[in-house]
Amino acid sequence: MESVVLYPSPGMGHLISMVELRKLILKHHPSFSITILIVTPPYNTGSTAPYLSRVSSTFPSISFLHLPTISLPLDSFHSLHLETLVFELLRLNNSNLHQALLSISDHSTVCALIIDFFCMAALSIAAQHNIPSYYYFTSSAACLAFFLYFPFIHNQTTKSFKDLNIHLQIPGIQPVLASNMPKLMLEREDKAYEFFLDKSVHLPRSAVIIINTFEALKPRAVKAIPDGLCVVDGLTQPIFCIGPIITAEGRSSGGGVPECLTWLDLQPKRRVLFLCFGGLGLFSEEQLKEMAIGLERSGKRFLCVVRSPPSDDPSRRFLPPADPDLNSLLPDGFLDRTKERGFVVKTWAPQVAVLNHNSVGGFVIHCRWNSVLEAVCAGVPMGAKV
């Protein structure tokens, strides 16, 4: 029997996208045996356990292999960025990946290892086992174009992005002000910058790059990459746009219909503004109050997901926040004054079901790619909170 092994990074969005990829592969190649490797991190990645339980009960054919837990002292990392922990965790997991591939190879022939773009350390293990490796890029074509071109930009200067007062000219993308690059990449000496640079160097070494998008969404970037404009000093591997791959999440999450969907049923068509910022989208108490003031003054109907602010304790900055106390986080009397036209949800809402509800007419978004694709597929206009 031929097997394909999928290796996602331990983030909710990355995991969901990889599970949906598995369904797509089996649709076209039902004879394959597919195993999804699960890494359990010592930091907050959103609530993956309920999702895995739901998927296992709904799709018994999906096989999950949980790798042994890696000890990672959170207080030893000086970078403020979660991505630094992700890269380090996956690097330390190479020995577990090696053992997992040996175990799977005992009863089948592993013909491919499909890795998340955070899992670049797995390339060496795949090579040891003579297994072709394929990158599954879970973000946009524009983002892929940037990362492929990133090593060239790095070699043209010794300054950090935050100190460059120029617009970066990246093939397939509109010019970007250097200081507007993602915060985790602004400082050249930051460990996160170093990890992303290393990942970018390794991207073209994959046999193929699979990307969760479709050509019409970013045609300039999709054309620039195979034309060889983004990898300056080497060959660009073939890319395949196989998106949009999104979850088929319905109205029920296993415990009945969420109250927010029942509330939406009572609202007029296309009148509700939905505000949701992903499993890791956290705001300070001051920011939450400002957002609430804006919603109240707007006079518009809204459905808003609120999470507790990040902890000020450095030892807890990567751990899950407590359940939010809405009365203390939001302005006094806000919930009472807006109860006729607003609904506030603690921590989580069924995003796909909400976006596909005919009462929703707009989406304030954190710009993570899964959410963008879900909104595009639902036909809901987006406004970015960055």
Side-chain angles (χ1 to χ4, degrees), residues 164-239:
L164 286 175
N165 188 27
I166 61 171
H167 283 82
L168 301 175
Q169 305 293 327
I170 303 166
I173 305 176
Q174 292 290 336
V176 181
L177 188 64
S179 58
N180 285 343
M181 294 305 292
K183 184 182 296 186
L184 53 84
M185 299 181 69
L186 288 178
E187 178 55 65
R188 193 179 179 97
E189 303 304 320
D190 195 295
K191 194 68 176 177
Y193 180 100
E194 178 185 326
F195 274 129
F196 274 108
L197 178 63
D198 192 33
K199 182 206 74 167
S200 299
V201 170
H202 281 81
L203 262 174
R205 300 178 186 177
S206 170
V208 162
I209 300 176
I210 308 164
I211 181 168
N212 185 13
T213 192
F214 52 99
E215 186 174 351
L217 195 55
K218 287 289 183 180
R220 287 181 56 203
V222 170
K223 184 177 187 303
I225 296 169
D227 282 354
L229 301 179
C230 300
V231 181
V232 177
D233 300 321
L235 296 176
T236 303
Q237 299 302 329
I239 68 166

Side-chain angles (χ1 to χ4, degrees), residues 35 43 369:
T35 300
Y43 51 81
W369 191 239

Side-chain angles (χ1 to χ4, degrees), residues 333-354:
F334 170 80
L335 295 174
D336 287 333
R337 292 192 301 270
T338 60
K339 64 183 179 182
E340 298 301 324
R341 59 179 177 85
F343 194 97
V344 179
V345 182
K346 290 184 178 182
T347 306
W348 178 87
Q351 183 166 289
V352 173
V354 170

Side-chain angles (χ1 to χ4, degrees), residues 154-378:
H154 173 82
N155 291 332
Q156 301 308 302
T157 181
T158 58
K159 292 184 177 180
S160 296
F161 283 140
K162 66 180 179 62
D163 300 320
L164 286 175
N165 188 27
I166 61 171
H167 283 82
L168 301 175
Q169 305 293 327
I170 303 166
I173 305 176
Q174 292 290 336
V176 181
L177 188 64
S179 58
N180 285 343
M181 294 305 292
K183 184 182 296 186
L184 53 84
M185 299 181 69
L186 288 178
E187 178 55 65
R188 193 179 179 97
E189 303 304 320
D190 195 295
K191 194 68 176 177
Y193 180 100
E194 178 185 326
F195 274 129
F196 274 108
L197 178 63
D198 192 33
K199 182 206 74 167
S200 299
V201 170
H202 281 81
L203 262 174
R205 300 178 186 177
S206 170
V208 162
I209 300 176
I210 308 164
I211 181 168
N212 185 13
T213 192
F214 52 99
E215 186 174 351
L217 195 55
K218 287 289 183 180
R220 287 181 56 203
V222 170
K223 184 177 187 303
I225 296 169
D227 282 354
L229 301 179
C230 300
V231 181
V232 177
D233 300 321
L235 296 176
T236 303
Q237 299 302 329
I239 68 166
F240 292 92
C241 298
I242 62 170
I245 294 179
I246 62 174
T247 181
E249 175 189 88
R251 286 176 62 93
S252 175
S253 60
V257 177
E259 188 179 357
C260 64
L261 295 181
T262 303
W263 179 82
L264 283 174
D265 291 340
L266 304 176
Q267 306 308 309
K269 185 177 181 180
R270 299 296 181 192
R271 290 296 188 88
V272 176
L273 180 66
F274 179 42
L275 300 93
C276 186
F277 306 101
L280 301 178
L282 305 179
F283 297 99
S284 68
E285 183 174 340
E286 181 183 4
Q287 288 173 315
L288 289 172
K289 282 184 165 61
E290 288 293 327
M291 185 163 57
I293 291 170
L295 287 172
E296 185 172 2
R297 289 178 177 175
S298 74
K300 303 299 183 182
R301 299 173 187 269
F302 65 87
L303 170 60
C304 183
V305 180
V306 172
R307 294 179 175 84
S308 291
S311 174
D312 293 329
D313 183 351
S315 66
R316 296 191 56 81
R317 66 182 185 271
F318 298 125
L319 298 179
D323 205 36
D325 180 352
L326 298 181
N327 289 319
S328 66
L329 292 174
L330 302 176
D332 289 342
F334 170 80
L335 295 174
D336 287 333
R337 292 192 301 270
T338 60
K339 64 183 179 182
E340 298 301 324
R341 59 179 177 85
F343 194 97
V344 179
V345 182
K346 290 184 178 182
T347 306
W348 178 87
Q351 183 166 289
V352 173
V354 170
L355 289 171
N356 282 278
H357 198 287
N358 63 11
S359 292
V360 174
F363 184 24
V364 180
I365 184 178
H366 61 313
C367 294
R368 292 296 177 99
W369 191 239
N370 278 4
S371 295
V372 170
L373 289 179
E374 289 163 6
V376 167
C377 292

